[in-house]
Amino acid sequence: MNETEKLREIIEGSHRIVFFGGAGVSTESGIPDFRSVDGLYSQQWDYPPETILSHTFFMEKTEEFYRFYRAKMLCPDAKPNPAHIKLAQLEKAGKLTAVVTQNIDGLHQAAGSRSVYELHGSVLRNYCMKCGKFHDLDFIMSTQGVPRCECGGIVKPDVVLYEEGLDSEVINGSVRAISEADTLIIGGTSLNVYPAAGLIRYFSGSSLVIINMSPTGMDSSADLLICGRIGEVLSEAVTDQLK
């Protein structure tokens, strides 16, 4: 039995699967990740991406933040790939109870997933720091420089920047889902980003599966370890006739 067949067997025997994913899930949709050789962290800007994507930088150099943000963080034409689609299929079949994602692109929902915990927020939501009104992605894309609300307030993306804390409701929901899961599938993440990666410790189910292109700090704990592209692996493992 090969690795894909083992994963298929685990999925068929599971009833409360949770998927924990990172940037590698969306790279197959053409969205660059942060830490790979071709990712954002290897490109040259006047400031390191970690600095630009910080709360302090946003507040002090808002226009420069948005120059980087529009150029590198927004991919309005990106479409769900096989990984997103297969996970939505698992949810519809009653196998998967939640997706916990570090991504901010909204592609899981676009594929049809309903139970999605967005640890780092979403580029699809933006709010006025003065009056609180929400604005969509089209609003940001249609503006130049610093986007401002009708009230004159600066509009901020509803994403978690460096120096900012994660949303407590999202954290609590993620912890609950992971702690109740019988199978946890980790995909497309190096598990280097905390506190998000720390949520894995709440899993006490029967099968821990890791699907990634490079090693992670949890590899030694995995019941099944697959080196591969998450979309390709799930396309083979998730059949149309789920038991």
Side-chain angles (χ1 to χ4, degrees):
M1 183 182 295
N2 63 30
E3 294 171 337
T4 302
E5 291 171 340
K6 291 178 182 177
L7 177 57
R8 186 182 301 124
E9 186 176 76
I10 289 173
I11 290 173
E12 290 179 349
S14 302
H15 303 284
R16 298 188 65 84
I17 300 171
V18 168
F19 178 81
F20 182 95
V25 178
S26 293
T27 53
E28 293 174 55
S29 293
I31 297 177
D33 70 4
F34 282 86
R35 292 173 174 80
S36 71
V37 174
D38 299 318
L40 292 182
Y41 282 13
S42 64
Q43 300 177 17
Q44 296 298 314
W45 284 75
D46 292 339
Y47 304 88
E50 297 98 323
T51 299
I52 299 175
L53 297 174
S54 68
H55 178 81
T56 297
F57 194 92
F58 176 83
M59 298 301 292
E60 295 180 353
K61 300 181 183 295
T62 313
E63 187 163 355
E64 180 68 7
F65 168 90
Y66 267 109
R67 189 175 74 86
F68 178 89
Y69 182 76
R70 287 191 181 94
K72 294 298 180 182
M73 304 301 291
L74 300 181
C75 302
D77 298 326
K79 305 296 183 185
N81 63 55
H84 301 105
I85 294 168
K86 286 299 182 180
L87 290 169
Q89 183 180 335
L90 284 174
E91 182 186 66
K92 188 175 181 179
K95 289 284 188 180
L96 184 140
T97 57
V99 169
V100 180
T101 180
Q102 299 174 80
N103 297 334
I104 58 177
D105 49 49
L107 291 181
H108 284 292
Q109 293 93 327
S113 291
R114 296 186 176 184
S115 180
V116 181
Y117 293 101
E118 297 173 309
L119 296 174
H120 298 149
S122 173
V123 299
L124 304 183
R125 301 186 301 269
N126 308 273
Y127 65 92
C128 174
M129 298 176 69
K130 184 177 180 181
C131 74
K133 179 180 179 180
F134 271 80
H135 300 268
D136 60 15
L137 179 59
D138 288 339
F139 173 82
I140 300 297
M141 297 296 294
S142 67
T143 61
Q144 294 182 342
V146 179
R148 290 187 177 274
C149 180
E150 294 91 334
C151 74
I154 293 174
V155 176
K156 180 183 183 296
D158 189 19
V159 299
V160 180
L161 302 177
Y162 288 100
E163 304 169 348
E164 295 179 344
L166 304 188
D167 182 89
S168 59
E169 289 188 14
V170 174
I171 286 292
N172 291 338
S174 301
V175 168
R176 183 170 58 252
I178 291 173
S179 64
E180 295 175 351
D182 55 12
T183 293
L184 177 62
I185 301 176
I186 299 173
T189 174
S190 59
L191 294 177
N192 286 331
V193 178
Y194 285 83
L199 297 176
I200 304 305
R201 70 178 184 271
Y202 291 99
F203 176 67
S204 59
S206 56
S207 298
L208 175 62
V209 178
I210 297 178
I211 307 167
N212 204 44
M213 293 295 292
S214 57
T216 79
M218 290 290 293
D219 286 2
S220 61
S221 301
D223 297 292
L224 177 61
L225 183 62
I226 301 177
C227 180
R229 294 164 64 89
I230 183 71
E232 295 175 0
V233 173
L234 290 183
S235 291
E236 293 183 25
V238 180
T239 60
D240 293 331
Q241 293 79 34
L242 294 169
K243 295 180 181 179

